[in-house]
Amino acid sequence: MGSYASHHLVIAIDGPAASGKSSVARQLARQLGFIYVNSGAIYRAITWHLLQNKILPDQSERINEALNSAALTCDVRDDEARIVVNDIDPAGHLRDDRVNESVSRVSKLPRVREIVSRRLHDCAEGRDVVIEGRDIGSVVFPDTPYKFYIDASPEVRLQRRAAQGERDEITIRDRDDVSRAVSPLVKAKDAHLIDTSHVTVQQVVTEIMTRLEQLGLPISDVRITNRALGE
Ligand code: CDP
């Protein structure tokens, strides 16, 4: 095993809605043999659970109560972390219109952020992970040296989301995410910025790999070790 394996690695991929984070993070994780973790999916799973229980994003006390009694666990399946709420996997509902509409208002609540942050640390325990989100490099894993901030022009991001056929007011979500008091969307000072407006997913992944090597991460050792662990 290479010396990197003495502790587990976190690669943080942050950025606004429809910037290309998910495709990049998933492909990067696959190429490195890391586990892919989508932190937005945890905020979405919580939002879905609240809406199922007819709790609205502005009912913060009811939200706290509901969260105290919900069992939220992070399972790893097919090299991806999945969140399960009271033994139900809400994966099929995470991009419902009503979840798109409410998720930023739920995710600004400090209690919600604290719970998600704890789950992300559980997911990263004992494994190498690529985690995408809004505050992974700035707040949740500030000590990781591997931070990337993925952006694209507002026009390109709107086009990408429209092409996915979703009703998603990303301009409103961006505004809420950037302006909230607790862990707003921000580029960590030491994050490497990549504009994905005019490049392919693979080009972005290659740029990240190059940067990781410059930071001293032995990419081929990492791949070999993780492949062996996965066999
Ligand atoms: O995929 P998309 O970029 O549209 O969003 P997402 O990553 O699924 O995140 C959905 C929402 O969750 C965001 O708009 C944020 O309000 C919130 N979020 C957050 O606050 N912090 C994170 N680390 C990840 C998501």
Side-chain angles (χ1 to χ4, degrees):
M1 267 192 204
S3 59
Y4 84 90
S6 52
H7 62 278
H8 288 281
L9 305 179
V10 174
I11 299 177
I13 312 272
D14 289 304
S19 54
K21 292 185 308 292
S22 298
S23 317
V24 165
R26 188 177 267 123
Q27 189 152 325
L28 178 69
R30 195 176 304 138
Q31 286 181 219
L32 290 174
F34 282 26
I35 299 299
Y36 164 65
V37 184
N38 180 346
S39 64
I42 310 182
Y43 287 99
R44 287 173 179 275
I46 290 177
T47 304
W48 172 82
H49 174 69
L50 297 172
L51 293 172
Q52 282 298 96
N53 287 284
K54 307 211 173 344
I55 301 174
L56 300 173
D58 56 358
Q59 296 177 306
S60 54
E61 259 179 47
R62 287 191 68 198
I63 291 180
N64 289 344
E65 278 165 29
L67 293 178
N68 288 340
S69 55
L72 289 168
T73 49
C74 176
D75 286 349
V76 173
R77 252 186 296 138
D78 303 328
D79 298 328
E80 285 195 18
R82 288 163 204 273
I83 197 79
V84 175
V85 189
N86 293 342
D87 291 330
I88 300 173
D89 179 351
H93 299 284
L94 299 184
R95 307 209 68 96
D96 288 358
D97 292 348
R98 62 182 189 146
V99 174
N100 281 343
E101 249 165 57
S102 300
V103 62
S104 288
R105 282 181 292 146
V106 169
S107 61
K108 73 177 184 196
L109 301 171
R111 175 85 183 115
V112 172
R113 303 208 71 79
E114 189 189 304
I115 289 174
V116 175
S117 177
R118 213 174 309 136
R119 289 299 166 272
L120 291 172
H121 280 271
D122 294 346
C123 288
E125 184 68 38
R127 351 179 136 91
D128 291 337
V129 288
V130 176
I131 309 187
E132 64 153 302
R134 301 289 188 286
D135 60 343
I136 307 306
S138 56
V139 174
V140 185
F141 291 95
D143 296 333
T144 182
Y146 310 119
K147 300 181 188 178
F148 298 87
Y149 189 89
I150 307 285
D151 209 345
S153 69
E155 299 75 41
V156 168
R157 295 193 293 112
L158 280 167
Q159 275 166 15
R160 284 181 185 160
R161 196 50 36 109
Q164 287 167 329
E166 275 185 49
R167 230 184 48 216
D168 185 6
E169 300 285 348
I170 62 173
T171 319
I172 298 176
R173 267 197 306 127
D174 284 351
R175 193 198 55 210
D176 288 349
D177 291 346
V178 167
S179 64
R180 68 177 170 234
V182 187
S183 48
L185 170 64
V186 63
K187 177 189 163 302
K189 271 203 292 297
D190 51 342
H192 180 77
L193 173 69
I194 304 179
D195 187 326
T196 73
S197 303
H198 306 293
V199 285
T200 64
V201 170
Q202 187 53 49
Q203 282 170 318
V204 179
V205 171
T206 303
E207 181 171 342
I208 293 178
M209 296 276 213
T210 306
R211 175 77 184 158
L212 291 172
E213 279 188 319
Q214 284 166 357
L215 290 169
L217 191 73
I219 297 287
S220 46
D221 287 4
V222 169
R223 278 197 189 126
I224 291 163
T225 307
N226 277 306
R227 214 164 283 144
L229 287 173
E231 275 163 4

